[in-house]
Structures are given as C-alpha cells and as structure tokens.
Amino acid sequence: MTTWEIDSEDISVRLSRTRTWGGLDTESHYGPGPLDYRRDLGDPGEFPFTRGSYPRMYRGRMWTLRNIVGYGGPEDTREGVEAALKAGGAGIDVVSDVPTGQAMDPDHPVLGPDVGLEGCSMPTVDDLDLLTRDIDLTKTDVAWHTVMMTYPMVLALARRRGYDPSKLQGGHMPDHLTHAIIGWGHGVIPPALGHRYHTDCLAYACRHTPKWASGFPQGYEIRELGIGPAGEIAVGMAIVNQTLADLAARGVSADEVAPTLAWISTSGIDLFEEVAKFRALRRIWARTMRERHGARDERAMRLRISCHSSGRTMTYQQPLNNIVRGASEMIAALCGGVQSMEVCSYDEAIGIPTPEARELAIRTQQIVAHEVGAARVADPLGGSWYVEALTDRVEAKALRLLAEIEKIGIVKAVSDGVLERWCEDAEMRQLEEMETGERIIVGVNRFARPDEPEPRRFAVERWRIDRHLRRFAEFKAARDPERLARRMDDVYAAVRAGGEFHGALVEAFLAGATIGEAWGTVRVAAGYPYDAFDALDSPFGHLR
C-alpha cells in the first residue's frame, strides 16, 4: 500500500464509490479507444448528432429557461406564472394536481383531499382560459406537465379564442405507458388504452398543430423511480419504436411525427454519466429513425431534449444542499446539449416550492448561462477519453436492455409488470447501497445534523380550494345538458369505431365536458369501467 493510499483512507472526505450511479464500473484513468469520428460522433449538427443537435448550439439559440408552477386553482397558479415571468423565465410550465393528472374531476369522492395541493386543478376549458388569460397561445410557449386530456382541452380553448391551430405553440406530455408504470396503476390507465390514446394524440397533433411539441417519451418519470440512464433510454426507445410502428400502420410516417417530439429527460447527479447519456441518446435516436423507421428528413433524426434536474436527488434533510445538486445537474444537461431546462427548487422534497425557491431556481440558470461559461461551445466534454468511453458503454447497455423489452413487447411488458419490477429492483439496490455506505447522500446517510430545524413549507389556503370547487359546481350547473350529451355520444361512437377520436373530444370540451367526464366516456367505449375507483357511474348512460 502506497503512502497516498494510506493517507487517503484517513482523511474525512475520500472517494466512496468507483462505479457510476448507474452501476457502470470505471477505471482509474482512460486513454484513446477505438472510435470512428465521422461514423460515431460527427460534428455538432451532423448525423448521428452525438455532439449536439445543432451546429452552433447555444451560440445560435439558448436553451429555453423554464420554471414549473402549479397550485390551487387556475387563478392561484396564474399568480405564480406571473412571478416566474417577472423573474426572467422564458417558458411557462404548468403542473397539474393529482386529480387533474389522472383525468378526474375535483369533486371526485376519492381524490377530493388532493385537489390543488401538488399542482393546479384545471378540469375544464374555462379553467385553462382563466389560467392563460391575456396570454397569446400562438406566441407564448406554455408547457403543460400533464398527460391526460390536456391536448384536446387546449385545442378547444384555441378554437374558442379563434386561433389558427397551425400557429398554436406549447406542448404537453402524452406518454400514457410511462404513467401506467410509475404508480398510477392499470386501473387509472389501462396500458393498451393508454398506448392507443397517445398514438391517436400524436397522429392528430402532427397534422393539425405542427408547432405543438409533444413531450414523448417521458423518460424523466422512469428515472425518478430509480432506473439508471441506460434504462431511461431503453424504456423510452421501446415506447417510441412501438408507437412509430403503429403510426406507420395508420399512414403517419416518422418524418411527419418525429420532428414534433421532444424527449422528456432528467439530469441526475452523476455529471459525466449524464453527459454521456445525452450523447448516447441522440446517437441511438438518429440511427433508429433512419435505419429502422425509414426517416429521410434530418429533423426526424435530430432529437430535441427537454430536461429537468432530478427531483429524486433533492433531499428533505438539509434542503439548502439541493442548490448545489441542482446547479451540478444543470451543468451536466448543458454540457450534454439539451434544448430546454428546468432546475428543481431546493425545497422540491418538502412540498410546493416557495416563491423564493422558484426565483432561486431561475437565478441558477441565469448564473450558469452568463457567468459559468458552460454554454460557450458545443459538446465541451467531447473528446474526453472518459466521456467517450462512458458514451459507448451507456449506449451498449441501453441497446441490450431495449432488446430485452422488445422481445416481450412494450405494452405487454407494462401490462405484466415487468418494467415496474425493474424499477423496484433498482430502488432496492440503491437503498441497500445507502445502508452499506456505498452510496453516500450528504445530509441523509452521512454528515447529517440531529438538530436540523423544520424546513419552511408553502401552504395553499383552504379558501382557495373552496372557491375553485364552488366555481366548478356552478360551471356544471350552467351547461346545456342536451348539447353535452350529444357530443359525448360522438366521443363514445368514435372510440368504439376504433378510429381517430380527438376531434370528437375537442367538440365535447367546447360543449362543457369536464376532464373526468371525457376520460370516463373514453374508458367505457373501450370496455373499461367509467371510473377507475368504481365510485361513480357515467352520467351519460354509457354503461359497460
């Protein structure tokens, strides 16, 4: 044992792990490896886009600086949106509460206590109108962090306001399969129905709203369950491959739909592994689009990545430490070449972000943009022997996992719980590593403070929720029941016929349908109970 090794064992801060957080073994140093520059890397903006989707990257266009807002009713969230824009945010990101996220109304007898607590309750087109009042949706990028029914609701609002749908901007996250994995359960989103719904949504969106960005697949949520960077790529590509194959059977090509997609990703705490993941992801995407799906349009092969720093890495204990974690994860994302970025507020693990925490998340991006210099050149870590080796290894592992999933079939792998077990196994491994000390989380299993004060929480006043519920009841009472029933009949018939049904959903929302009524009718037409909790019957007579 050398003197250095003896000394390093005695110091308080020492290397605790030599594997990446994703489980890849690493060497003490790296040298040149077998690499064909044009085949495997290319210049930024050139196939296979390993080094970046655009030639000049942030010199040509900076990433979209985003900040997530959502609590209470639409007017409450609107206050947060205005504060985020005033602080310098360029994009508006609205997160829904649990009932809206699961396409259930705020008066649902099971989910009532969750209304407005972890996001915005917005079950009607009127709510979207109130939230975005004075915001031109053809000029302002509003990203809806929701899955269920968001797109037809926004289309209905656009119709009401007289917008040209071809100019409608913004986006949402229609990956229903991922949400069937992450804990919503097959009762809320039956995998086969979820897959059919998002396939229909993507087909409709690419042909009617070409500027609309579909956040698909939802790699972020998979990572939050503990699966590693290679697993994120594998699960996401399995979902994309099956969806593109089904779209092709409908006559919708990869060249039509792929340019409208943006991969929703996370940037974890392992800086170099995350950079390698983004590079490997772009390479796999480009080759898959061209070689498997027959893409010829460069825009289909050039992946856009929308990134969020990892909420999973934010800790309840010593929350100010999360400022460092968020900044590190953001630098990894920029060195990896993402197109939009959200940084978690440091109180992410505590509850709804306080206004001060939201502003600090924006300031973090601004400091990195204007002071740190991480955005000056494309692919700043490209050519690092370590990063190139990691890129190759993440890619190889991702392709191996992808082959395992596709041997089963992605819908079956979700339905049978295979992917859920993958996530559970990954979670258990990480807990075991924390218990043994192999995985150190500062302030949690090491360097903790027994006298840590209780963190400050953001609270949504009850009167705000009560106001929203009263308005929802008044909205339902004021509708034309005969017109609504006709439009819901149309939704039922369109779903039963097996064809496109988003046009019918738009008309239903214009007639006053709520998110719960619309999704419930889709469920019944597809052969499922109206309500996932069996607590409600269809008010329209569409009984199973």
Side-chain angles (χ1 to χ4, degrees), residues 213-427:
S214 295
F216 187 90
Q218 238 290 10
Y220 178 88
E221 298 289 2
I222 291 292
R223 288 291 300 282
E224 290 297 283
L225 289 183
I227 203 166
E232 174 194 338
I233 296 175
V235 175
M237 286 305 303
I239 292 171
V240 168
N241 286 338
Q242 185 61 59
T243 302
L244 289 181
D246 292 345
L247 285 168
R250 291 187 179 201
V252 181
S253 70
D255 280 337
E256 287 182 88
V257 70
T260 70
L261 305 181
W263 189 292
I264 305 299
S265 188
T266 188
S267 185
I269 197 64
D270 194 319
L271 188 149
F272 294 103
E273 187 176 37
E274 292 301 323
V275 172
K277 178 202 71 179
F278 293 124
R279 301 171 91 245
L281 171 57
R282 278 193 299 271
R283 186 158 70 197
I284 290 173
W285 178 278
R287 288 173 171 169
T288 303
M289 290 304 117
R290 186 168 75 177
E291 297 166 10
R292 179 168 178 171
H293 298 294
R296 294 294 176 265
D297 189 336
E298 188 177 77
R299 295 177 305 148
M301 296 177 254
R302 184 177 61 210
L303 177 64
R304 294 181 296 168
I305 301 174
S306 179
C307 185
H308 193 300
S309 65
S310 175
R312 179 184 177 83
T313 65
M314 302 290 110
T315 64
Y316 182 92
Q317 301 91 333
Q318 300 180 26
L320 291 179
N321 294 345
N322 295 330
I323 299 171
V324 181
R325 295 185 178 105
S328 173
E329 291 165 0
M330 183 192 174
I331 290 172
L334 295 187
C335 290
V338 305
Q339 277 60 61
S340 69
M341 185 70 198
E342 300 156 351
V343 174
C344 287
S345 63
Y346 68 82
D347 55 0
E348 177 96 0
I350 299 168
I352 295 173
T354 61
E356 295 83 1
R358 285 201 304 269
E359 181 174 347
L360 184 56
I362 292 175
R363 295 288 176 255
T364 300
Q365 295 207 48
Q366 292 166 334
I367 290 169
V368 173
H370 299 295
E371 299 182 32
V372 172
R376 289 191 188 117
V377 299
D379 193 29
L381 295 179
S384 157
W385 292 326
Y386 177 42
V387 170
E388 297 299 349
L390 270 184
T391 300
D392 290 345
R393 294 191 63 198
V394 170
E395 177 185 38
K397 184 176 181 180
L399 291 174
R400 175 176 60 79
L401 294 174
L402 174 60
E404 291 182 25
I405 297 170
E406 295 194 320
K407 185 176 181 180
I408 302 169
I410 182 61
V411 177
K412 182 174 173 56
V414 174
S415 300
D416 292 353
V418 173
L419 299 183
E420 191 171 350
R421 287 192 292 275
W422 279 20
C423 295
E424 290 172 352
D425 290 345
E427 178 73 19

